[in-house]
Amino acid sequence: MPKIINIKINNKKIKAQEGDTILETAYKAGIEIPHLCFHPDTEVKANCRVCVVEIKGRKDLPTSCSTKIEEGMEIKTESSRVAKARKINLELIFSEHIEKCGTCPMNFNCKLLNYAKKYNLKITRFKDRKKNRKVYKFGNAVELDSSQCIDCRNCVDICEQQGVGFLKLKNKGHKIEVVPVDDGKHDCVYCGQCAVHCPVTAIQEQLNYNEIEKDLKNKKNKILVAQIAPSIRTSIGEMFNLPYGKIMTGQLISSLRALGFDYVFDVNFGADVTTIVEAEELAERLKNKNFVLPMFTSCCPAWVKFVEFYYPEFIPNLTTSRSPHIHLAGIIKTYWAKKIKVDPKKIVVVSIMPCTAKKYESSRKELWLNNRPLVDSVLTTRELGYLLHKHKIDLTKIKPTKSDNPLGEHSGAGAIYGASGGVMESALRTAMFLLNKEKLKSINFKQIRGQQGIKKAEVKVGNRNLKLAVSNGLGNAKKILEELKQNPREYDYVEIMACPGGCIGGGGQPIPTTPLQRIKRAESLYQIDKKKKIREAHKNQEAKKAMSWLKKDKKLASQILHTKYHKKNKPEGFKIL
Amino acid sequence: MDIITRIRKANFLGRGGANFSTAKKWEMFKNEKMDKKYIICNASEGEPDVFKDEYLIANFPEEIINGIKIALDFFSNSQAYIYLRKDLYLKFGLKLKKIIKKEKIKLFKETGGYLCGEETTLISSMEHQRREPKIKPPYPLQKGLKGKPTLINNVETFYYISKIAKQEYKKTRFYCISKDAKKQGVFELPIDWSVKKILQKTKNYPEYDFFVQVGGGACGKIVFGKELNKSVCGTGAIIVYNVKQDLIKLMQKWVNFYINENCGKCVPCREGFYRIREILNSKKIDWKLLKDILEVMKETSLCGLGTSAPTAFLSLMEMMKYR
Ligand code: SF4
Ligand code: SF4
Ligand code: SF4
Ligand code: SF4
Ligand code: FES
């Protein structure tokens, strides 16, 4: 048990936990201390100097994120000295950050602007000094606008933790700059973890909301279809100040209709398709000795690129199954188009994703049909939140509706795709059925749930022990791959998600995204699963119907359900604007 | 009597600028339990108009190395380095190596600038990381070079350790007198002498109206009038300025120094110096804003560079009010 010690914050007596910092203690006591560079996912850097506090008996103003509490400490978080220092430091920070609020997807919930209001900042007190800094575009997914960067370094640290190390610091003093690495050995995998950890959206997703707004305004002959990812229903609420993890499926669907989408489908349906395809492949690989094991999941495009660039020797391990939103889009533009008798060319599919890498994924030609993309556009959770605010659609007040049929139904298995372990759990439920042909006693695989970076388990399938590994965060994925290099048969089935906690912690999720938020978002996904009548993907009758329709045309089925991977010899690098 | 007791009895304070009790520091270092420990002699002096380390290395290398040897003998499993400013390495490296012979003392050529005098930065530079300070705690004494306890003392401190061990310490220190002084140089004089007395005894007391900067070359405090009766703290630098000196230019000189030497890690220092330069270069100086920035820099910067640099500016501005 950690020791409890007594301190005072703003004259309030507080029983606090030894070992905590002042910032943590204050947070637990409901006292907010402004901070920018602190993020629980990274090491404390204490470089913004905004979280300073006054401590009785100390001459300086220490930073609360880096100072541990001590017995008897008396802390003031808003004294006049603190307020003055914080104000100046914030004004100095503003002079580094060129405000582009008009187009910024966080402008309805911007930390900087909130502080500006609270401390009555003169945000133009100093001349912007980074006007001529460059913009770096990473593929079509992520971009770093150096003219907005406040040098907090979160992105550099996170990318390093991801095992990618694509971002580095150049120069020193006021000439310091975050830049992408250009050494031929590193390449961005578009996970967007840098973006979701940037306190000021200097590094962010490449925005696509503009084009979609245009399409929605002027539909011409188009049919606009939105499809929502499994994980965003439990995170979008945060952009409307709802409690972490609040399930907003129905409201989300209604608000997309309110924006002007003609149809709204649920990617959970696509996840059921993915599960069936993947489980079938797993069963095949297990039965046939010549097939490569372990099998890796491949629904995370950042992970796929990570393998293609850094570990191409493992490409044969990736399941050939496409990912849920590509599956669903494929079915929309073939099966469903036929059903409602429209030309697929008229259908515009927009995926709403927790993810920046999905922007890149939809642009991959391997995932197109007849030289046209299946998913036409990808918006992040943040972009959608922004559009809703901008068009005055109040998610909290709108009446919930259901997603459209027949592609709306889904199993509980589809629902948990957004949480680390969810993809494997879903596939196992179906693979066990395929391999055992018997009813499962329990379909819950609790060993592979939760937020740990690496989870290992063994399950019995028939007379064989299946060795499983699940990891989230690419830094952890690297550990598993290195393990497999030593011992190739260490595992039979491996799930990797690039983002901490899986897609609920995705690079396109609301800012901030902290460990606590990830826990709550994931919990809610398992709630949805628990409440579902059908919880196994192969019991989704509509999915099966669509798949058997596809399978009538072998080529089409393979085009819509499977994909190929390619070794990436050279980095795709970045473009400078 | 062991060496720590001798140092304690001598009431000896470290000469690196922080005025910390050397006995206490050594005691803490001794109490760290670890299979390996490092001792570093910091010879990275890098402020303008300060040249005391160079003088000591040129004139008393045996004494300094003897001081380091005493530490090596006293702390088991230890290994020592002399962290030398680049030009000092080139000038005196060979000579030092000859004196060191086979002792466990290695020379390390400094790769960075002024900030490398800061203990955690010094270690980062030796580990080939970005030359930037780290958050303390942990202190280098607990977790320093290669994660091992590390004792860092400056050149003058090791010189006097040797003297203390030989019972030759007479409560003196080295003063470096420079700039508009007539007889510039390094002088060994009692620690409790006032600035005035030092200037008089070294025949440096100016006939013209003057002020001095004491304690550091760019971070030292500006002192004049009655305050000249106080003794010198910090690194023992005494810089004499003729009052006719252009004060804005002086501040510009400091700011140009710092703008090149700061690491860029924390906001008040990185952005502060940039803005201070801007303010000093403008036609109409906004003194209020200048003061605000300096005060916040002093109170909230991450390392000693940022917290000590404002002293010179603020004390000079204080003086300008009187003149
Ligand atoms: S998107 Fe991911 S890989 Fe690319 S720079 Fe950001 S953190 Fe690194
Ligand atoms: S891009 Fe964002 S996260 Fe990266 S250093 Fe700049 S402000 Fe920080
Ligand atoms: S874990 Fe999910 S959100 Fe993150 S990159 Fe992969 S698919 Fe995208
Ligand atoms: S005070 Fe200056 S030198 Fe020290 S960490 Fe901050 S920016 Fe770097
Ligand atoms: S949050 Fe503490 S210094 Fe930035």
Side-chain angles (χ1 to χ4, degrees):
Chain A
M1 270 298 276
K3 217 173 109 193
I4 297 300
I5 59 181
N6 298 293
I7 63 160
K8 270 192 195 165
I9 302 182
N10 303 339
N11 293 323
K12 192 172 138 198
K13 284 188 190 155
I14 290 169
K15 294 216 173 298
Q17 204 167 306
E18 190 176 38
D20 278 0
T21 61
I22 296 173
L23 188 68
E24 283 164 337
T25 308
Y27 176 79
K28 286 181 189 169
I31 300 165
E32 211 215 289
I33 303 176
H35 57 272
L36 286 167
C37 70
F38 172 79
H39 194 291
D41 288 343
T42 64
E43 255 185 61
V44 173
K45 300 172 292 299
N47 57 33
C48 76
R49 315 308 275 185
V50 167
C51 69
V52 288
V53 292
E54 192 170 333
I55 301 176
K56 200 174 164 187
R58 264 184 84 157
K59 274 204 215 129
D60 59 340
L61 298 174
T63 42
S64 59
C65 65
S66 67
T67 310
K68 294 216 161 117
I69 51 162
E70 283 165 26
E71 180 67 46
M73 234 181 206
E74 290 183 30
I75 300 154
K76 294 248 159 68
T77 67
E78 298 287 345
S79 69
S80 58
R81 258 178 84 206
V82 168
K84 178 183 162 193
R86 191 171 286 152
K87 183 171 183 229
I88 295 250
N89 283 344
L90 279 168
E91 284 169 344
L92 288 169
I93 286 170
F94 261 105
S95 74
E96 289 190 81
H97 177 83
I98 295 195
E99 297 84 41
K100 299 185 178 170
C101 308
T103 50
C104 175
M106 286 311 288
N107 75 358
F108 291 97
N109 192 14
C110 168
K111 240 184 172 179
L112 276 182
L113 291 178
N114 290 343
Y115 293 158
K117 222 193 250 158
K118 185 168 173 194
Y119 293 98
N120 200 10
L121 302 183
K122 238 172 106 187
I123 63 174
T124 51
R125 183 161 194 178
F126 305 105
K127 271 184 245 144
D128 284 323
R129 72 169 178 87
K130 292 187 170 175
K131 252 190 225 123
N132 299 325
R133 292 264 173 109
K134 293 173 184 132
V135 176
Y136 303 89
K137 299 224 177 220
F138 309 164
N140 68 339
V142 175
E143 70 181 38
L144 162 63
D145 184 342
S146 203
S147 73
Q148 297 191 289
C149 172
I150 62 163
D151 300 317
C152 79
R153 308 180 178 195
N154 278 355
C155 55
V156 180
D157 286 6
I158 279 291
C159 192
E160 193 66 45
Q161 279 179 40
Q162 284 292 64
V164 176
F166 188 60
L167 300 169
K168 66 168 186 192
L169 292 168
K170 203 171 90 179
N171 304 336
K172 64 172 196 163
H174 66 274
K175 292 192 180 128
I176 209 165
E177 202 177 337
V178 174
V179 291
V181 173
D182 191 10
D183 63 357
K185 286 185 210 120
H186 294 79
D187 204 12
C188 175
V189 300
Y190 314 123
C191 68
Q193 281 305 305
C194 47
V196 74
H197 286 88
C198 178
V200 297
T201 57
I203 200 159
Q204 62 172 210
E205 63 273 61
Q206 287 183 31
L207 299 169
N208 295 110
Y209 70 76
N210 245 335
E211 312 139 30
I212 288 155
E213 254 183 330
K214 264 186 222 142
D215 279 348
L216 286 168
K217 218 186 209 163
N218 183 6
K219 280 190 202 163
K220 277 187 218 144
N221 237 332
K222 287 176 189 157
I223 297 174
L224 285 168
V225 177
Q227 46 175 2
I228 54 167
S231 72
I232 69 166
R233 68 204 67 200
T234 69
S235 63
I236 182 95
E238 290 167 23
M239 293 194 71
F240 292 83
N241 296 319
L242 291 173
Y244 300 158
K246 180 117 174 112
I247 301 166
M248 299 300 283
T249 321
Q251 292 87 334
L252 181 58
I253 293 164
S254 301
S255 54
L256 283 161
R257 296 194 204 285
L259 267 182
F261 282 99
D262 301 305
Y263 295 88
V264 183
F265 292 123
D266 195 330
V267 176
N268 286 7
F269 177 97
D272 279 342
V273 175
T274 308
T275 299
I276 297 169
V277 177
E278 190 161 329
E280 281 171 355
E281 185 177 335
L282 180 66
E284 284 288 312
R285 292 202 191 211
L286 289 171
K287 273 189 254 166
N288 193 326
K289 282 222 161 54
N290 298 325
F291 289 170
V292 178
L293 281 176
M295 184 173 93
F296 293 167
T297 59
S298 74
C299 53
C300 168
W303 156 240
V304 168
K305 170 142 188 212
F306 189 75
V307 172
E308 289 178 321
F309 184 76
Y310 291 100
Y311 291 91
E313 65 270 36
F314 284 107
I315 285 178
N317 297 72
L318 289 166
T319 167
T320 62
S321 174
R322 295 182 161 201
S323 74
H325 81 133
I326 305 282
H327 272 151
L328 180 52
I331 289 170
I332 289 171
K333 288 195 175 173
T334 54
Y335 172 74
W336 183 73
K338 189 134 240 165
K339 224 175 177 109
I340 64 161
K341 300 196 181 72
V342 294
D343 177 0
K345 286 193 189 107
K346 285 188 182 156
I347 302 174
V348 176
V349 175
V350 180
S351 296
I352 320 290
M353 296 275 126
C355 183
T356 50
K358 294 278 171 192
K359 291 185 189 256
Y360 153 77
E361 185 187 39
S362 353
S363 74
R364 286 186 67 140
K365 292 245 163 60
E366 297 91 332
L367 299 171
W368 290 17
L369 186 68
N370 305 329
N371 282 322
R372 294 169 68 90
L374 288 169
V375 170
D376 298 278
S377 249
V378 173
L379 295 186
T380 61
T381 324
R382 293 192 290 270
E383 285 176 280
L384 177 64
Y386 168 76
L387 276 183
L388 296 183
H389 277 292
K390 187 173 167 199
H391 293 268
K392 307 223 160 28
I393 298 167
D394 187 345
L395 190 76
T396 64
K397 299 230 171 79
I398 203 160
K399 233 179 101 220
T401 52
K402 286 204 159 126
S403 55
D404 283 295
N405 270 323
L407 311 178
E409 193 37 63
H410 68 85
S411 73
I416 58 176
Y417 254 63
S420 164
V423 179
M424 179 180 279
E425 179 162 347
S426 303
L428 284 176
R429 287 179 191 176
T430 294
M432 301 284 244
F433 166 79
L434 293 175
L435 289 161
N436 279 358
K437 290 288 174 209
E438 64 199 41
K439 219 174 162 280
L440 292 173
K441 272 187 227 96
S442 164
I443 54 161
N444 296 326
F445 296 87
K446 296 228 164 106
Q447 320 92 294
I448 53 172
R449 295 184 185 179
Q451 300 289 311
Q452 282 146 273
I454 295 181
K455 295 166 276 188
K456 296 178 180 178
E458 277 193 24
V459 292
K460 224 175 158 65
V461 187
N463 51 8
R464 131 168 226 175
N465 260 344
L466 217 55
K467 288 190 281 180
L468 312 171
V470 172
S471 96
N472 59 84
L474 287 174
N476 295 317
K478 218 170 172 172
K479 287 182 200 152
I480 301 244
L481 292 176
E482 289 303 327
E483 223 180 315
L484 282 170
K485 272 189 176 172
Q486 296 304 317
N487 181 3
R489 292 308 317 275
E490 186 67 28
Y491 306 108
D492 299 304
Y493 187 21
V494 176
E495 179 203 290
I496 308 271
M497 287 291 161
C499 298
C503 302
I504 43 112
Q509 292 281 35
I511 293 172
T513 286
T514 61
L516 180 66
Q517 280 158 291
R518 292 195 289 260
I519 290 170
K520 295 285 179 195
R521 293 172 192 168
E523 274 171 8
S524 295
L525 292 185
Y526 288 106
Q527 281 303 320
I528 297 175
D529 170 36
K530 213 167 145 191
K531 285 193 192 136
K532 274 279 167 188
K533 254 198 237 105
I534 55 159
R535 296 183 60 199
E536 291 140 281
H538 57 272
K539 290 186 181 159
N540 180 339
Q541 294 311 323
E542 280 305 331
K544 282 177 86 172
K545 237 191 244 168
M547 287 173 78
S548 27
W549 180 87
L550 278 173
K551 281 178 183 167
K552 278 190 268 174
D553 177 344
K554 260 206 167 143
K555 185 172 163 228
L556 186 69
S558 133
Q559 276 176 326
I560 296 294
L561 299 178
H562 297 277
T563 185
K564 287 194 192 76
Y565 308 102
H566 299 285
K567 180 175 171 168
K568 300 217 184 307
N569 293 316
K570 265 198 275 153
E572 278 153 321
F574 52 88
K575 279 199 198 78
I576 301 179
L577 240 60
Chain B
M1 220 191 312
D2 74 5
I3 182 70
I4 294 190
T5 318
R6 282 184 204 277
I7 301 172
R8 191 182 307 114
K9 287 227 160 121
N11 271 327
F12 188 83
L13 302 183
R15 299 287 157 82
N19 295 323
F20 192 76
S21 154
T22 300
K24 220 187 236 169
K25 197 167 177 177
W26 281 44
E27 192 72 50
M28 283 157 72
F29 186 58
K30 192 178 145 211
N31 291 338
E32 286 295 324
K33 300 265 170 291
M34 195 58 96
D35 54 338
K36 180 101 201 163
K37 293 185 183 181
Y38 292 102
I39 296 162
I40 298 172
C41 171
N42 188 355
S44 66
E45 176 177 75
E47 277 182 288
D49 302 316
V50 180
F51 39 82
K52 188 191 70 181
D53 283 2
E54 174 161 6
Y55 173 85
L56 285 168
I57 294 170
N59 293 289
F60 310 106
E62 291 87 2
E63 210 73 63
I64 296 163
I65 285 165
N66 189 45
I68 301 172
K69 280 182 189 167
I70 291 167
L72 272 173
D73 290 342
F74 187 72
F75 301 108
S76 42
N77 304 318
S78 57
Q79 150 84 51
Y81 288 94
I82 304 178
Y83 184 83
L84 277 165
R85 205 175 68 204
K86 211 189 276 165
D87 59 317
L88 298 183
Y89 183 94
L90 297 175
K91 261 198 207 161
F92 303 111
L94 275 178
K95 190 168 159 197
L96 287 169
K97 275 185 193 153
K98 264 188 208 145
I99 304 170
I100 291 166
K101 280 186 227 118
K102 281 196 183 107
E103 285 289 334
K104 286 185 288 178
I105 304 174
K106 286 185 194 150
L107 301 187
F108 188 93
K109 185 165 82 183
E110 179 191 62
T111 50
Y114 169 60
L115 190 55
C116 288
E118 192 276 335
E119 295 196 346
T120 58
T121 312
L122 184 152
I123 289 167
S124 297
S125 93
M126 286 182 75
E127 291 174 343
H128 308 289
Q129 296 171 25
R130 264 186 86 81
R131 292 179 287 264
E132 287 179 346
K134 292 203 176 81
I135 304 169
K136 293 179 274 192
Y139 291 91
L141 272 184
Q142 309 158 310
K143 209 171 163 235
L145 189 62
K146 299 175 198 163
K148 307 288 183 192
T150 304
L151 173 76
I152 305 172
N153 278 136
N154 98 319
V155 174
E156 184 178 334
T157 305
F158 278 114
Y159 168 87
Y160 278 120
I161 298 279
S162 171
K163 290 284 181 195
I164 289 171
K166 292 191 222 160
Q167 308 198 30
E168 287 170 6
Y169 175 57
K170 304 244 161 48
K171 295 207 187 287
T172 55
R173 66 173 302 165
F174 288 89
Y175 298 95
C176 167
I177 306 181
S178 62
K179 194 79 190 165
D180 301 337
K182 256 194 309 206
K183 300 192 100 190
Q184 298 195 8
V186 178
F187 304 87
E188 188 179 13
L189 297 166
I191 46 172
D192 54 358
W193 278 17
S194 69
V195 179
K196 195 169 172 184
K197 191 165 176 186
I198 294 166
L199 290 177
Q200 283 165 344
K201 296 276 177 178
T202 57
K203 303 206 165 54
N204 268 315
Y205 199 86
E207 287 131 32
Y208 49 85
D209 209 359
F210 74 102
F211 61 93
V212 297
Q213 184 175 20
V214 296
C219 71
K221 198 178 164 200
I222 297 299
V223 169
F224 61 99
K226 270 197 205 128
E227 276 197 291
L228 294 171
N229 294 323
K230 287 191 192 151
S231 63
V232 175
C233 54
T235 58
I238 302 178
I239 305 171
V240 181
Y241 297 97
N242 191 323
V243 176
K244 287 191 193 132
Q245 157 87 35
D246 182 333
L247 301 182
I248 307 292
K249 277 216 178 101
L250 179 57
M251 283 201 265
Q252 283 169 335
K253 177 181 153 182
W254 293 333
V255 91
N256 288 335
F257 170 73
Y258 284 120
I259 235 170
N260 284 325
E261 298 297 339
N262 87 78
C263 73
K265 191 167 181 171
C266 75
V267 165
C269 174
R270 176 186 68 231
E271 301 304 318
F273 281 122
Y274 183 84
R275 297 305 164 184
I276 291 172
R277 182 174 70 179
E278 194 175 63
I279 294 169
L280 288 173
N281 288 347
S282 65
K283 276 197 203 94
K284 209 174 158 284
I285 292 178
D286 184 341
W287 292 102
K288 163 94 178 45
L289 181 59
L290 185 60
K291 189 159 174 257
D292 279 351
I293 295 175
L294 285 162
E295 275 168 359
V296 172
M297 186 191 284
K298 183 179 168 138
E299 283 182 315
T300 69
S301 288
L302 190 144
C303 85
L305 187 148
T307 56
S308 63
T311 308
F313 294 88
L314 289 168
S315 55
L316 184 72
M317 283 157 68
E318 196 60 29
M319 182 183 86
M320 288 163 83
K321 267 204 277 183
Y322 288 103
R323 301 235 170 192

